[in-house]
Short mmCIF file of all heavy atoms in Angstrom, two decimals:
data_model
loop_
_atom_site.label_atom_id
_atom_site.label_comp_id
_atom_site.label_asym_id
_atom_site.label_seq_id
_atom_site.Cartn_x
_atom_site.Cartn_y
_atom_site.Cartn_z
N ILE A 100 112.86 122.08 -74.80
CA ILE A 100 111.80 122.13 -75.81
C ILE A 100 111.73 123.55 -76.36
O ILE A 100 111.72 124.51 -75.60
CB ILE A 100 110.44 121.73 -75.22
CG1 ILE A 100 110.45 120.29 -74.77
CG2 ILE A 100 109.32 121.97 -76.22
CD1 ILE A 100 109.16 119.84 -74.12
N ARG A 101 111.67 123.63 -77.66
CA ARG A 101 111.37 124.90 -78.33
C ARG A 101 110.04 124.71 -79.04
O ARG A 101 109.78 123.68 -79.63
CB ARG A 101 112.47 125.24 -79.32
CG ARG A 101 113.75 125.57 -78.61
CD ARG A 101 114.69 126.34 -79.48
NE ARG A 101 115.82 126.73 -78.67
CZ ARG A 101 117.07 126.54 -79.03
NH1 ARG A 101 117.35 125.97 -80.18
NH2 ARG A 101 118.03 126.94 -78.25
N SER A 102 109.20 125.75 -79.00
CA SER A 102 107.84 125.60 -79.50
C SER A 102 107.40 126.82 -80.28
O SER A 102 107.87 127.93 -80.04
CB SER A 102 106.87 125.40 -78.34
OG SER A 102 107.23 124.32 -77.54
N ILE A 103 106.47 126.58 -81.19
CA ILE A 103 105.74 127.62 -81.90
C ILE A 103 104.26 127.30 -81.71
O ILE A 103 103.84 126.15 -81.87
CB ILE A 103 106.08 127.66 -83.40
CG1 ILE A 103 107.52 128.07 -83.61
CG2 ILE A 103 105.15 128.62 -84.12
CD1 ILE A 103 107.94 128.04 -85.07
N ARG A 122 100.38 123.76 -82.64
CA ARG A 122 101.64 123.89 -81.90
C ARG A 122 102.62 122.89 -82.46
O ARG A 122 102.27 121.76 -82.77
CB ARG A 122 101.40 123.63 -80.42
CG ARG A 122 102.68 123.67 -79.60
CD ARG A 122 102.41 123.56 -78.13
NE ARG A 122 103.64 123.37 -77.40
CZ ARG A 122 103.82 123.69 -76.14
NH1 ARG A 122 102.85 124.23 -75.47
NH2 ARG A 122 104.96 123.45 -75.56
N ASN A 123 103.86 123.31 -82.59
CA ASN A 123 104.95 122.42 -82.99
C ASN A 123 106.05 122.53 -81.94
O ASN A 123 106.43 123.62 -81.53
CB ASN A 123 105.52 122.78 -84.36
CG ASN A 123 106.26 121.61 -84.96
OD1 ASN A 123 105.70 120.84 -85.72
ND2 ASN A 123 107.52 121.46 -84.61
N ASP A 124 106.50 121.36 -81.46
CA ASP A 124 107.58 121.30 -80.48
C ASP A 124 108.79 120.64 -81.10
O ASP A 124 108.67 119.73 -81.93
CB ASP A 124 107.17 120.49 -79.25
CG ASP A 124 106.18 121.21 -78.36
OD1 ASP A 124 106.00 122.43 -78.54
OD2 ASP A 124 105.59 120.55 -77.49
N TRP A 125 109.97 121.10 -80.69
CA TRP A 125 111.23 120.45 -81.01
C TRP A 125 111.88 120.12 -79.68
O TRP A 125 112.19 121.02 -78.89
CB TRP A 125 112.14 121.37 -81.82
CG TRP A 125 111.64 121.64 -83.20
CD1 TRP A 125 111.95 120.95 -84.33
CD2 TRP A 125 110.77 122.69 -83.62
NE1 TRP A 125 111.31 121.49 -85.42
CE2 TRP A 125 110.57 122.57 -85.01
CE3 TRP A 125 110.11 123.73 -82.95
CZ2 TRP A 125 109.77 123.43 -85.74
CZ3 TRP A 125 109.30 124.59 -83.67
CH2 TRP A 125 109.15 124.43 -85.05
N SER A 126 112.09 118.84 -79.41
CA SER A 126 112.58 118.41 -78.11
C SER A 126 114.00 117.88 -78.21
O SER A 126 114.31 117.06 -79.08
CB SER A 126 111.67 117.31 -77.54
OG SER A 126 112.23 116.79 -76.36
N SER A 127 114.85 118.30 -77.30
CA SER A 127 116.23 117.81 -77.28
C SER A 127 116.33 116.43 -76.64
O SER A 127 117.39 115.81 -76.69
CB SER A 127 117.12 118.79 -76.51
OG SER A 127 116.72 118.84 -75.15
N THR A 128 115.25 115.92 -76.05
CA THR A 128 115.30 114.60 -75.42
C THR A 128 114.84 113.48 -76.36
O THR A 128 114.76 112.34 -75.93
CB THR A 128 114.45 114.56 -74.13
OG1 THR A 128 113.08 114.77 -74.48
CG2 THR A 128 114.91 115.62 -73.14
N LEU A 129 114.55 113.83 -77.61
CA LEU A 129 114.16 112.82 -78.61
C LEU A 129 115.22 112.79 -79.70
O LEU A 129 115.95 113.76 -79.90
CB LEU A 129 112.80 113.16 -79.21
CG LEU A 129 111.61 113.01 -78.27
CD1 LEU A 129 110.35 113.58 -78.91
CD2 LEU A 129 111.39 111.55 -77.90
N PRO A 130 115.31 111.68 -80.45
CA PRO A 130 116.29 111.59 -81.54
C PRO A 130 116.06 112.70 -82.58
O PRO A 130 114.92 113.12 -82.81
CB PRO A 130 116.05 110.21 -82.16
CG PRO A 130 115.26 109.46 -81.18
CD PRO A 130 114.53 110.44 -80.32
N SER A 131 117.11 113.13 -83.23
CA SER A 131 117.02 114.26 -84.16
C SER A 131 116.05 113.98 -85.32
O SER A 131 115.42 114.91 -85.83
CB SER A 131 118.40 114.63 -84.70
OG SER A 131 118.97 113.53 -85.37
N ASN A 132 115.86 112.73 -85.72
CA ASN A 132 114.93 112.44 -86.81
C ASN A 132 113.48 112.32 -86.32
O ASN A 132 112.57 112.22 -87.13
CB ASN A 132 115.35 111.17 -87.57
CG ASN A 132 115.37 109.96 -86.67
OD1 ASN A 132 115.54 110.07 -85.46
ND2 ASN A 132 115.21 108.79 -87.24
N ASN A 133 113.24 112.34 -85.01
CA ASN A 133 111.88 112.27 -84.44
C ASN A 133 111.62 113.38 -83.42
O ASN A 133 110.71 113.26 -82.62
CB ASN A 133 111.67 110.92 -83.75
CG ASN A 133 111.44 109.80 -84.71
OD1 ASN A 133 110.86 109.99 -85.76
ND2 ASN A 133 111.93 108.62 -84.37
N ASN A 134 112.42 114.44 -83.42
CA ASN A 134 112.29 115.41 -82.33
C ASN A 134 111.29 116.53 -82.61
O ASN A 134 111.02 117.35 -81.75
CB ASN A 134 113.66 116.01 -81.98
CG ASN A 134 114.17 116.96 -83.04
OD1 ASN A 134 113.65 117.02 -84.15
ND2 ASN A 134 115.20 117.69 -82.70
N SER A 135 110.70 116.58 -83.81
CA SER A 135 109.71 117.60 -84.14
C SER A 135 108.34 116.94 -84.22
O SER A 135 108.17 115.94 -84.90
CB SER A 135 110.06 118.25 -85.49
OG SER A 135 109.04 119.14 -85.88
N TYR A 136 107.38 117.51 -83.50
CA TYR A 136 106.03 116.96 -83.56
C TYR A 136 105.01 118.09 -83.46
O TYR A 136 105.13 119.03 -82.69
CB TYR A 136 105.79 115.90 -82.49
CG TYR A 136 106.23 116.26 -81.10
CD1 TYR A 136 105.33 116.67 -80.13
CD2 TYR A 136 107.58 116.17 -80.74
CE1 TYR A 136 105.73 116.99 -78.87
CE2 TYR A 136 107.99 116.49 -79.46
CZ TYR A 136 107.06 116.90 -78.53
OH TYR A 136 107.46 117.24 -77.25
N PHE A 137 103.98 117.98 -84.33
CA PHE A 137 102.93 118.99 -84.47
C PHE A 137 101.65 118.44 -83.88
O PHE A 137 101.31 117.28 -84.08
CB PHE A 137 102.74 119.33 -85.95
CG PHE A 137 101.62 120.30 -86.21
CD1 PHE A 137 101.78 121.64 -85.93
CD2 PHE A 137 100.42 119.85 -86.73
CE1 PHE A 137 100.76 122.54 -86.17
CE2 PHE A 137 99.39 120.75 -86.97
CZ PHE A 137 99.55 122.10 -86.69
N TYR A 138 100.93 119.29 -83.15
CA TYR A 138 99.63 118.85 -82.66
C TYR A 138 98.63 120.01 -82.70
O TYR A 138 98.83 121.06 -82.12
CB TYR A 138 99.69 118.20 -81.29
CG TYR A 138 100.55 118.86 -80.24
CD1 TYR A 138 99.99 119.62 -79.23
CD2 TYR A 138 101.93 118.69 -80.23
CE1 TYR A 138 100.76 120.19 -78.25
CE2 TYR A 138 102.71 119.25 -79.25
CZ TYR A 138 102.11 120.01 -78.26
OH TYR A 138 102.88 120.59 -77.28
N GLY A 170 101.07 116.48 -77.67
CA GLY A 170 102.31 115.74 -77.85
C GLY A 170 103.11 115.73 -76.57
O GLY A 170 102.93 116.58 -75.69
N ASN A 171 104.01 114.76 -76.45
CA ASN A 171 104.84 114.64 -75.25
C ASN A 171 106.17 114.00 -75.62
O ASN A 171 106.21 113.13 -76.49
CB ASN A 171 104.12 113.81 -74.19
CG ASN A 171 104.76 113.94 -72.83
OD1 ASN A 171 105.47 114.90 -72.54
ND2 ASN A 171 104.54 112.95 -71.99
N ASP A 172 107.21 114.42 -74.95
CA ASP A 172 108.53 113.82 -75.17
C ASP A 172 108.91 112.96 -73.97
O ASP A 172 108.06 112.59 -73.18
CB ASP A 172 109.57 114.91 -75.45
CG ASP A 172 109.70 115.89 -74.30
OD1 ASP A 172 108.98 115.74 -73.28
OD2 ASP A 172 110.51 116.82 -74.41
N LEU A 205 113.31 106.38 -79.98
CA LEU A 205 112.02 106.79 -79.40
C LEU A 205 111.32 107.82 -80.29
O LEU A 205 111.96 108.64 -80.93
CB LEU A 205 112.24 107.39 -78.01
CG LEU A 205 112.63 106.41 -76.92
CD1 LEU A 205 112.89 107.16 -75.62
CD2 LEU A 205 111.58 105.33 -76.72
N LYS A 206 110.00 107.75 -80.28
CA LYS A 206 109.15 108.70 -81.00
C LYS A 206 108.35 109.49 -79.97
O LYS A 206 108.14 109.03 -78.85
CB LYS A 206 108.17 107.96 -81.91
CG LYS A 206 108.81 107.12 -82.97
CD LYS A 206 107.76 106.35 -83.72
CE LYS A 206 108.40 105.37 -84.70
NZ LYS A 206 107.38 104.52 -85.31
N PRO A 207 107.84 110.66 -80.33
CA PRO A 207 107.00 111.41 -79.39
C PRO A 207 105.65 110.72 -79.17
O PRO A 207 105.12 110.07 -80.07
CB PRO A 207 106.82 112.76 -80.06
CG PRO A 207 107.06 112.52 -81.50
CD PRO A 207 108.03 111.38 -81.59
N GLU A 208 105.13 110.87 -77.97
CA GLU A 208 103.77 110.40 -77.68
C GLU A 208 102.78 111.38 -78.29
O GLU A 208 103.01 112.58 -78.26
CB GLU A 208 103.52 110.38 -76.17
CG GLU A 208 104.38 109.46 -75.38
CD GLU A 208 104.08 109.54 -73.88
OE1 GLU A 208 103.15 110.28 -73.48
OE2 GLU A 208 104.78 108.88 -73.12
N ILE A 209 101.67 110.86 -78.81
CA ILE A 209 100.61 111.72 -79.33
C ILE A 209 99.28 111.19 -78.79
O ILE A 209 98.95 110.02 -78.96
CB ILE A 209 100.56 111.75 -80.87
CG1 ILE A 209 101.85 112.30 -81.45
CG2 ILE A 209 99.36 112.55 -81.37
CD1 ILE A 209 102.08 113.78 -81.23
#
Side-chain angles (χ1 to χ4, degrees):
I100 295 177
R101 292 199 174 130
S102 304
I103 294 176
R122 177 174 170 155
N123 200 94
D124 287 346
W125 292 268
S126 173
S127 65
T128 64
L129 290 171
S131 59
N132 60 335
N133 284 326
N134 72 347
S135 174
Y136 47 102
F137 176 75
Y138 44 103
N171 194 22
D172 60 0
L205 289 176
K206 299 175 187 173
E208 298 178 3
I209 299 290

